[in-house]
Amino acid sequence: MNIGVDARALAMSSAMVSHSKDVHSGYWNPAGLVDLQDAQAGLMHANYFANIAQYDYAAYAKPIDDESAWGMSIIRFGVDDILNTTLLIDSQGNVDYNRISKFSTADYGITFSYAKRLKVPGWQYGVNAKVIRRIIGKFANSWGFGFDAGLQFEKNDWHFGVMLRDITTTYNVWNINEEEFNTIKNAVAGQNSELPESTEITLPKAQIGLSKKYEFHADYSLLAAANLNMQFTRTNDIISSQKLSIDPALGFEFGYNDLVFLRTGVGNFQKITQIDNTKKIGFQPNIGLGFKYRGIAVDYALTDLGDQSAALYSNIFSVTIDLSIFRR
């Protein structure tokens, strides 16, 4: 749930909290759903870790009336066809390759969103209810639940946004198959001697965003956006204290005739310790292209999904469809 969705957003380093106004707002800031003019659908696919893992996303959103909207989305991040070699050696110590089986491990995030305009002009809010499902073959599985809340405000062509993720703390409760666990218990001396903890928590996070779109000669536009991504703990972010860490992000989108788009962004500013124990500032640049015609937008991003220190740059593709085109 931390990776992000939509190639457009990822090319702009996820600086989306203040200006997201389409079906993907269910992820970035549900308040933006209220600006939908008609139903929309979105799809995204990316490969992770040299095609070992698959990251997929689908979303749908629709206005309820002029003042409110709803949406839902599903994210799957999984690795399939993992070899299970826990039974490779039989009770007599013989290696039997027929005892190898395969399993999958996958995380699912299902989000239900609702957005509404406030009576104060320019203000709107949105909320998410999330269901988290995690499966590790037949070894273990878990269920989790959480909530997000977002707010957007517009004045004098400036857009402001606030997104609070996992506001109640998201809990995942694991169910571990003890019979399967016993097959690997103490297989290596001192390891797997006790069942792992059954509760996993995701702490609250906050994002603040600011953006403005500039128009040039009617055909050209430039959208500039900034985010402050905050965690309430110490991390390697460039602004970090015992209780709060802040990671800034900047994103830009240059458009021609609302048809072709060039995007770039920079974020994930981290303090990196070198071999000689000196520190330097690392960051993650991203670029992307987009094309939109008659309600269909196809976007591409070259970006690093997740931690840039551990993963190579990834190619991401997404499609956004305004479903009104099928009623014309």
Side-chain angles (χ1 to χ4, degrees):
M1 299 299 290
N2 287 328
I3 293 175
V5 302
D6 182 25
R8 178 195 180 216
L10 295 173
M12 296 178 67
S13 293
S14 303
M16 301 294 294
V17 171
S18 63
H19 63 92
S20 181
K21 304 289 185 182
D22 59 13
V23 64
H24 309 296
S25 298
Y27 180 91
W28 296 111
N29 188 338
L33 292 175
V34 81
D35 288 311
L36 286 173
Q37 300 300 309
D38 207 317
Q40 282 189 354
L43 298 169
M44 189 192 82
H45 172 76
N47 295 321
Y48 200 28
F49 299 129
N51 297 333
I52 295 174
Q54 307 297 314
Y55 182 55
D56 296 290
Y57 154 83
Y60 174 83
K62 182 180 181 180
I64 298 173
D65 51 37
D66 291 339
E67 305 296 326
S68 59
W70 70 276
M72 66 177 297
S73 66
I74 181 169
I75 294 173
R76 181 188 187 270
F77 184 89
V79 180
D80 299 305
D81 296 328
I82 303 169
L83 296 180
N84 177 10
T85 60
T86 58
L87 301 177
L88 177 63
I89 302 175
D90 63 23
S91 58
Q92 279 74 46
N94 300 312
V95 174
D96 185 354
Y97 292 101
N98 293 322
R99 294 163 63 90
I100 295 177
S101 58
K102 295 181 179 181
F103 69 97
S104 297
T105 178
D107 293 349
Y108 297 86
I110 303 172
T111 302
F112 302 91
S113 307
Y114 174 78
K116 187 173 179 61
R117 296 189 193 278
L118 293 172
K119 293 183 178 180
V120 181
W123 289 82
Q124 54 205 42
Y125 74 90
V127 293
N128 286 336
K130 301 185 293 187
V131 179
I132 311 299
R133 176 65 168 164
R134 308 188 70 185
I135 302 172
I136 306 176
K138 56 185 178 181
F139 305 102
N141 62 81
S142 75
W143 288 98
F145 302 91
F147 297 91
D148 306 329
L151 188 69
Q152 287 184 340
F153 170 63
E154 179 182 355
K155 186 174 183 180
N156 297 329
D157 295 326
W158 286 92
H159 295 260
F160 305 86
V162 177
M163 180 63 172
L164 304 176
R165 299 186 180 274
D166 305 295
I167 54 176
T168 59
T169 302
T170 296
Y171 292 87
N172 261 67
V173 179
W174 283 90
N175 175 35
I176 299 168
N177 187 326
E178 293 192 36
E179 181 179 345
E180 292 292 333
F181 176 79
N182 288 333
T183 64
I184 61 171
K185 186 176 181 179
N186 292 319
V188 178
Q191 297 184 22
N192 298 322
S193 58
E194 298 180 359
L195 287 171
E197 294 184 8
S198 60
T199 303
E200 182 181 13
I201 63 171
T202 302
L203 297 175
K205 296 178 285 293
Q207 296 173 302
I208 298 174
L210 171 69
S211 62
K212 187 174 183 179
K213 187 174 184 178
Y214 300 90
E215 304 283 351
F216 305 99
H217 307 295
D219 292 332
Y220 300 93
S221 65
L222 175 65
L223 172 63
N227 261 28
L228 293 178
N229 305 311
M230 295 175 283
Q231 300 185 62
F232 301 101
T233 185
R234 180 181 288 277
T235 69
N236 286 332
D237 293 338
I238 58 171
I239 304 172
S240 183
S241 67
Q242 199 66 36
K243 296 184 177 181
L244 178 66
S245 299
I246 301 176
D247 172 30
L250 296 172
F252 301 92
E253 177 183 71
F254 176 77
Y256 170 70
N257 206 27
D258 200 32
L259 180 69
V260 180
F261 303 90
L262 174 64
R263 304 178 180 111
T264 188
V266 62
N268 204 4
F269 292 91
Q270 301 285 305
K271 299 175 184 176
I272 301 175
T273 302
Q274 305 298 296
I275 296 178
D276 59 0
N277 287 325
T278 60
K279 291 185 180 294
K280 75 170 187 177
I281 301 298
F283 60 90
Q284 176 186 319
N286 308 296
I287 59 173
L289 297 170
F291 177 78
K292 183 168 66 174
Y293 182 68
R294 292 189 176 181
I296 299 178
V298 179
D299 298 301
Y300 164 78
L302 178 63
T303 182
D304 180 359
L305 292 176
D307 182 3
Q308 88 283 5
S309 65
L312 299 176
Y313 274 72
S314 301
N315 297 294
I316 304 168
F317 296 89
S318 67
V319 177
T320 305
I321 304 172
D322 189 329
L323 299 179
S324 65
I325 64 174
F326 298 107
R327 292 190 290 272
R328 293 174 182 173

